[in-house]
Amino acid sequence: MHSDILASSDTFARRHISPTDPEIAEMLAVLGYRSLDELATAVVPAAIRLARPLALGDRLPLGEHELIDEMKNLAADNVVLRSFIGQGYYDTITPPVLLRNVLENPGWYTQYTPYQPEISQGRLEALINFQTMIENLTALPMANASLLDEATAAAEAMNMCIEHVRSDAGKRMAFWVQAETHPQTIAVMRTRAEPLGIELRVGTVAEIARGLGADVAGVLLSYPTTDGRIEDYRAVIDQIHAAGAAVVMATDLLALTVLVPPGELGADIAIGSAQRFGVPMGFGGPHAAFLSAKEDFRRQLPGRIIGASRDAKGKVAFRLALQTREQHIRREKATSNICTSQVLLAVMASMYAVYHGPDGLVRIAERVRGFTAVVAAGLAKLGVAVRGGERFDTLRIDLDAHAQAQVLARAIDRGINLRRYDDGVGISCDETTSFADIHAVLEAFAVGHDELPFDVAALAQATELPALALRRTSEFLTHQTFHRYRSEHEMLRYLNRLTTKDLSLTTSMIPLGSCTMKLNATTEMLPVTWPEFGRMHPFAPAEQWGGYRAMFDQLEAWLAEITGFAAVSLQPNSGAQGEYAGLLAIRAYHLGRNEGHRTICLIPQSAHGTNPASAVLAGMQVVVVASAADGTIDMADLRAKAERHAGQLGALMITYPSTHGVFEGPIREICEIVHRHGGQVYMDGANMNAQVGLTRPGAIGADVCHLNLHKTFCIPHGGGGPGMGPIAVAQHLAAYLPGHPLAAPGAQPVGAVSAAPWGSASILPISFAYIAMMGEPGLKRATQVAILGANYIAHRLNPHYPVLYSGQNGRVAHELILDCRGFKKTAGIEAEDIAKRLMDFGFHAPTMSFPVPGTLMVEPTESEAKSELDRFCEAMIAIRHEIAAIEAGQMDRTNNPLKNAPHTAAAVSGTEWERPYTREQAAFPAPWLRVHKYWPPVARVDNAYGDRNLICSCPPLEAYS
């Protein structure tokens, strides 16, 4: 029997890479090549090509069913105990209607960041719900649409306070943190403070009150504290304000349903995590952090804010408010490098609140308080002393070393994890806590008893729910949205209505340059919601997460081989965090060599917008390197600036292939110039989809790179997050990877950059599965087909839209830039008009006006079939014909399909039609739209009106009428 008959039919690469062999041959023929290898040779400079295949192991590639078996084996090595650890992470009940219809729904997780609001109204409404929830619960008037985790949100708040007193620059550079704050939060704040010259002071409330000098910009207080106390901070807040400093409050959303909110106590900023609102712990993430603030801090508020505006017909429409003020766009003046938020998880948390409503949330909170009171009463009966003070969900018990060891061992024997202190244990109840759990917890303390000397149910009946001195009296979540969808049927319909308003990868190609919107395969996604991965606490004892450890080790080894580097850290939980961590490694390396003065960072004009912001946060000074006329780095300018700053040169940040979409030939020379003048080379890995299997950062001469796992390695974008940005480094930088005090105690050269030691660990199975199922042949072919698709589109569209830059042999890498600037003069048409008109064809626009204003940057990815590439090209060509009609005077310059795009169903089906083109041309400009038509839910959004009339919470219902 021929061996091909017995070959596996369950291979993955042929499912991930959409073009078939005949289609690939056809596209190659159009370009004049006989094979993918021949095309790759023409595109990738010879000096950096890999001389051998990637060594990823003989077992790969795995079939899809083999991968599931592999993941089940890893999952089996994770021992999930009932967690009472707390410390900012709590078990929670994810309502099944949200699990199935949001977290596991590709209509939500394959969306892109809502830069095109007309086709993003569903997730924008969900994020307005999130902001409203945060503003209501914290009683502060402004909130952003989520941050990466609670610890980095605290670091952002610290920066806000420093910036807020900028007039006292150099005077107010101290910041206090209450000692009873989560230790991971203090650790991340230490890391962030040191390069910026911020003096971080840690102390008790009494020590803070005594230390409020004229150099203090702000104070972070914890409410409740990490060990569970509820303190009344009003007096000390008055003292802090009297000293000219701001108050940040780290808090808990569930607790705020029953406690006086931070805004009513006088806090200026509130931060925390929305994880316990229906989002699994996932060994640390991803979770949506929140940050709300007083109006005074509007200009310092980092990240994304969703606002309510109106469309061209006056209808309510949501958008990214103050869109151009996203802090990474401020480049070298930025005080934050926030780019990725946690949209998918913010949607989950907001819908949890929508589903339960305020009364349901209070019921959950009171139940948690009730179980906490029962535990305290049971411990009292056992003669175990609990630290005093009011509590919400957490108790702390002081024990000597012997008693602690006994209690912890007895708890683990009963399937319970308690929090471990140096001098005792902690117990945190949550939404999932049951009588059986409480019985087991109390048994752990009943040393010397075969069974509890009392009945827990009877004890519960006799235990009163403690009164709260700081009991909340103000209303929250009063908007009708939080009262209309209590039944599952109504919730399901609401979620479906929002999904249908959005364009995602379930609709069509999203051809975004630099963003690599590729297939997020179902098999890759399945393990994410398995309880063996989802219900693991990030600070569980190491012996309980052997499956995670094995997965981390293997993934790190694969990524090291793919990049050509020696060591990898999986901790950074976004691409921008990866940039930051990579630069911290370079900074620490220079400090270790007594060259801390090397703080100049060279950054080409073509670099990603987050690059300068990351350099500033790492304590570096940005010097911009010019671009040559062909879009490459101006080598003369690079040489001159490297030489001029040789004594202080710390690093060069470079994106490769460049953001202009080409492999720059002299890349090895560029790296050598920087090394010769004492600097290190940081390669931004945003464009790794053009490198994997063909070249690698180690081959071009770089020292460190970050990898966007949400781009090249298939973690979904989720509407703007989650993301992951692990860094890979050469051997001499391995000692400077991010540390974490809760994973490896002791002094470390570089501190934590994320709250959890392995960042958003629960989504790492996605990239693990992708590499395992693709193997070396699949990964290399994916890169080649991505390059083929980009060059095929460039070939088809170049006669209609000039391709702005190209590399050797006139070829682009995996993306291309279409020059639309000339149309403004000839037809009054701008790139934005083309972007909006594409919506009528059922497409998301390419990346607009980045990195070159007035252009569109296109990246097809290997996951798009030739038919989809052709459909996109035909849409772009049809739009070009409409522009030509305007140029020829056959269409009006202001009243035409581009200027009026997108066309809604309401506009096209309305009684009146006062436009000099047909309804058919407006809504059905291509034949395929007769088979399936995506209708934008709103007309073009008025950005200027939205910026003038910022509304960042749910508008009243009458606004929709």
Side-chain angles (χ1 to χ4, degrees):
M1 188 180 294
H2 198 281
S3 60
D4 287 350
I5 295 175
L6 301 179
S8 173
S9 62
D10 194 33
T11 54
F12 176 72
R14 65 191 176 93
R15 304 294 192 192
H16 177 83
I17 302 171
S18 286
T20 63
D21 287 345
E23 289 173 339
I24 288 172
E26 185 180 342
M27 288 191 284
L28 285 168
V30 167
L31 298 173
Y33 299 100
R34 291 167 295 181
S35 69
L36 288 170
D37 286 337
E38 188 178 335
L39 172 62
T41 298
V43 172
V44 182
I48 62 170
R49 287 183 216 139
L50 285 182
R52 60 165 178 81
L54 294 172
L56 300 177
D58 297 336
R59 294 178 59 231
L60 307 188
L62 301 180
E64 294 193 53
H65 72 290
E66 293 175 315
L67 183 279
I68 291 297
D69 287 342
E70 177 78 6
M71 298 308 297
K72 285 180 178 177
N73 289 334
L74 290 172
D77 287 336
N78 288 333
V79 181
V80 180
L81 273 58
R82 290 290 290 110
S83 176
F84 281 77
I85 298 172
Q87 200 173 325
Y89 300 92
Y90 306 89
D91 210 349
T92 182
I93 298 171
T94 304
V97 67
L98 302 187
L99 180 70
R100 176 65 59 88
N101 296 289
V102 179
L103 193 59
E104 296 178 344
N105 183 352
W108 285 100
Y109 66 67
T110 67
Q111 302 162 348
Y112 181 59
T113 305
Y115 291 129
Q116 297 293 338
E118 295 84 359
I119 54 177
S120 309
Q121 288 297 299
R123 87 203 74 150
L124 287 169
E125 181 172 332
L127 292 175
I128 278 277
N129 293 344
F130 178 82
Q131 290 178 178
T132 303
M133 174 184 80
I134 300 304
E135 291 165 10
N136 282 197
L137 286 171
T138 62
L140 288 165
M142 290 197 69
N144 60 26
S146 77
L147 293 173
L148 299 177
D149 59 32
E150 180 171 348
T152 53
E156 294 291 339
M158 175 179 67
N159 281 4
M160 288 172 66
C161 294
I162 298 293
E163 285 295 304
H164 192 63
V165 292
R166 183 180 284 238
S167 59
D168 292 335
K171 298 178 183 176
R172 292 188 177 268
M173 291 297 290
F175 191 91
W176 275 100
V177 182
Q178 186 180 359
E180 297 86 358
T181 296
H182 294 319
Q184 68 271 20
T185 298
I186 297 174
V188 170
M189 294 178 75
R190 283 193 194 281
T191 304
R192 186 73 68 90
E194 196 267 333
L196 297 176
I198 299 171
E199 182 187 347
L200 193 73
R201 301 171 183 170
V202 180
T204 64
V205 169
E207 289 169 334
I208 292 170
R210 291 195 299 269
L212 291 172
D215 59 345
V216 177
V219 176
L220 184 142
L221 303 171
S222 286
Y223 177 72
T225 61
T226 188
D227 56 4
R229 293 192 329 279
I230 299 167
E231 296 194 18
D232 187 342
Y233 295 118
R234 281 175 288 202
V236 74
I237 287 172
D238 288 343
Q239 285 183 266
I240 295 166
H241 285 155
V247 175
V248 180
M249 197 166 278
T251 190
D252 179 290
L253 290 182
L254 191 62
L256 294 185
T257 65
V258 295
L259 293 179
V260 175
E264 293 177 16
L265 293 175
D268 300 287
I269 301 169
I271 63 99
S273 171
Q275 177 267 316
R276 71 189 309 172
F277 274 30
V279 181
M281 289 184 287
F283 204 54
H287 309 132
F290 64 84
L291 190 154
S292 58
K294 291 180 178 177
E295 287 276 358
D296 295 354
F297 288 81
R298 174 188 292 208
R299 291 186 178 276
Q300 288 83 37
L301 197 67
R304 294 166 180 154
I305 304 170
I306 311 304
S309 184
R310 65 185 183 187
D311 73 357
K313 295 297 182 181
K315 180 181 177 181
V316 167
F318 303 113
R319 61 185 280 272
L320 280 178
L322 310 173
Q323 186 164 313
T324 56
R325 49 77 56 206
E326 275 200 76
Q327 295 226 17
H328 69 274
I329 293 175
R330 294 177 61 201
R331 298 175 74 83
E332 60 268 23
K333 294 182 180 179
T335 58
S336 167
N337 68 342
I338 288 296
C339 185
T340 307
S341 51
Q342 301 283 25
V343 171
L344 183 66
L345 299 316
V347 170
M348 286 285 292
S350 74
M351 292 305 170
Y352 179 92
V354 168
Y355 198 39
H356 286 294
D359 50 342
L361 294 176
V362 170
R363 274 199 305 274
I364 293 167
E366 295 289 41
R367 184 176 182 275
V368 170
R369 282 216 310 135
F371 272 119
T372 307
V374 174
V375 174
L379 291 172
K381 275 189 169 292
L382 292 171
V384 177
V386 176
R387 284 197 182 182
E390 287 194 345
R391 306 277 166 165
F392 171 65
D393 62 1
T394 297
L395 305 170
R396 180 167 177 175
I397 299 97
D398 294 327
L399 298 171
D400 61 36
H402 177 69
Q404 181 196 51
Q406 280 186 303
V407 169
L408 290 173
R410 287 170 62 88
I412 287 174
D413 286 345
R414 289 159 177 78
I416 297 286
N417 274 330
L418 303 177
R419 182 172 175 182
R420 304 173 183 218
Y421 292 97
D422 291 339
D423 55 356
V425 298
I427 303 169
S428 291
C429 297
D430 58 48
E431 180 186 12
T432 69
T433 302
S434 68
F435 276 104
D437 295 331
I438 296 304
H439 192 279
V441 167
L442 291 173
E443 278 190 329
F445 287 87
V447 179
H449 295 276
D450 293 330
E451 56 184 50
L452 285 179
F454 51 83
D455 179 67
V456 174
L459 179 68
Q461 289 288 335
T463 302
E464 293 289 328
L465 191 65
L468 287 171
L470 289 170
R471 180 83 198 192
R472 182 171 192 145
T473 58
S474 57
E475 291 186 309
F476 59 94
L477 303 185
T478 58
H479 193 276
Q480 190 61 31
T481 297
F482 298 97
H483 296 264
R484 297 175 65 179
Y485 308 109
R486 302 299 178 77
S487 74
E488 182 171 333
H489 213 162
E490 284 301 302
M491 191 69 194
L492 175 66
R493 288 170 176 163
Y494 180 51
L495 292 171
N496 188 58
R497 283 198 299 273
L498 295 185
T499 308
T500 58
K501 291 181 179 182
D502 280 15
L503 191 150
S504 69
L505 282 176
T506 65
T507 313
S508 62
M509 171 185 180
I510 301 180
L512 288 152
S514 188
C515 291
T516 318
M517 298 292 292
K518 60 168 73 178
L519 171 71
N520 312 123
T522 307
T523 300
E524 297 162 1
M525 300 297 293
L526 285 175
V528 170
T529 53
W530 292 354
E532 295 88 346
F533 292 113
R535 294 191 72 179
M536 181 69 68
H537 193 287
F539 306 133
E543 59 270 18
Q544 294 175 16
W545 41 272
Y548 262 124
R549 167 58 74 186
M551 183 180 69
F552 297 154
D553 289 347
Q554 182 61 82
L555 185 56
E556 288 173 5
W558 283 338
L559 295 178
E561 172 64 13
I562 287 168
T563 58
F565 285 132
V568 172
S569 169
L570 300 173
Q571 189 180 131
N573 54 4
S574 80
Q577 287 290 91
E579 295 174 16
Y580 173 61
L583 290 171
L584 288 181
I586 290 173
R587 180 176 182 275
Y589 169 75
H590 288 314
L591 286 169
R593 291 159 55 88
N594 296 316
E595 293 190 324
H597 55 276
R598 291 194 171 275
T599 58
I600 296 293
C601 186
L602 302 178
I603 301 183
Q605 282 180 331
S606 61
H608 278 96
T610 50
N611 285 180
S614 296
V616 170
L617 286 186
M620 294 185 172
Q621 179 185 343
V622 173
V623 173
V624 176
V625 178
S627 292
D630 63 357
T632 62
I633 289 178
D634 184 326
M635 294 297 291
D637 192 50
L638 173 67
R639 291 189 190 96
K641 285 173 177 171
E643 186 170 345
R644 183 184 315 152
H645 299 289
Q648 296 82 40
L649 183 59
L652 165 76
M653 296 186 81
I654 187 168
T655 303
Y656 199 75
S658 79
T659 310
H660 289 156
V662 296
F663 282 97
E664 299 189 59
I667 184 64
R668 296 293 297 273
E669 183 185 355
I670 289 169
C671 295
E672 288 166 5
I673 290 170
V674 174
H675 288 148
R676 189 164 63 248
H677 291 90
Q680 296 283 288
V681 176
Y682 174 94
M683 196 208 82
D684 186 310
N687 291 342
M688 275 295 294
N689 214 45
Q691 285 198 45
V692 180
L694 301 181
T695 184
R696 51 189 185 175
I700 73 170
D703 301 288
V704 55
C705 77
H706 87 269
L707 299 169
N708 294 100
L709 298 190
H710 50 288
K711 297 183 181 182
T712 307
F713 297 96
C714 290
I715 289 175
H717 283 66
M724 278 292 273
I727 59 169
V729 297
Q731 186 61 56
H732 64 282
L733 294 178
Y736 306 107
L737 291 173
H740 200 289
L742 300 175
Q748 295 157 337
V750 176
V753 297
S754 299
W758 285 273
S760 295
S762 69
I763 55 176
L764 291 174
I766 301 168
S767 297
F768 179 95
Y770 173 67
I771 297 171
M773 291 191 294
M774 291 292 277
E776 190 279 336
L779 292 174
K780 178 181 177 182
R781 187 175 180 85
T783 306
Q784 291 175 322
V785 173
I787 291 171
L788 171 63
N791 281 281
Y792 177 73
I793 289 176
H795 178 86
R796 284 207 63 186
L797 293 186
N798 194 46
H800 308 278
Y801 302 85
V803 175
L804 192 55
Y805 302 116
S806 60
Q808 64 181 27
N809 300 308
R811 297 298 174 199
V812 298
H814 66 315
E815 61 190 2
L816 61 141
I817 296 177
L818 302 174
D819 193 350
C820 306
R821 292 173 294 185
F823 303 141
K824 184 173 183 179
K825 182 177 181 181
T826 61
I829 295 298
E830 302 188 54
E832 183 179 21
D833 300 315
I834 299 171
K836 304 307 181 188
R837 182 58 171 152
L838 271 169
M839 297 173 190
D840 290 327
F841 287 83
F843 282 107
H844 194 293
T847 301
M848 192 174 72
S849 293
F850 175 83
V852 181
T855 65
L856 295 171
M857 183 162 60
V858 181
E859 181 179 348
T861 87
E862 70 276 8
S863 294
E864 298 300 341
K866 179 178 179 295
S867 58
E868 187 76 351
L869 303 186
D870 284 332
R871 200 163 67 88
F872 172 74
C873 289
E874 288 157 16
M876 290 294 293
I877 292 167
I879 292 170
R880 180 65 184 93
H881 289 159
E882 291 178 342
I883 296 172
I886 299 169
E887 292 169 330
Q890 297 165 359
M891 280 190 184
D892 189 85
R893 284 176 70 97
T894 58
N895 190 4
N896 58 63
L898 284 92
K899 287 295 183 184
N900 292 327
H903 298 84
T904 64
V908 173
S909 61
T911 304
E912 297 181 359
W913 182 258
E914 299 175 351
R915 296 179 183 180
Y917 52 93
T918 66
R919 299 171 194 255
E920 182 177 29
Q921 184 176 358
F924 297 96
W928 66 76
L929 298 167
R930 296 288 182 182
V931 179
H932 174 71
K933 168 71 177 176
Y934 167 82
W935 289 98
V938 297
R940 193 174 302 196
V941 175
D942 189 335
N943 290 327
Y945 178 88
D947 283 346
R948 290 194 307 271
N949 302 276
L950 177 61
I951 304 170
C952 59
S953 58
C954 295
L957 291 182
E958 57 267 23
Y960 295 88
S961 60

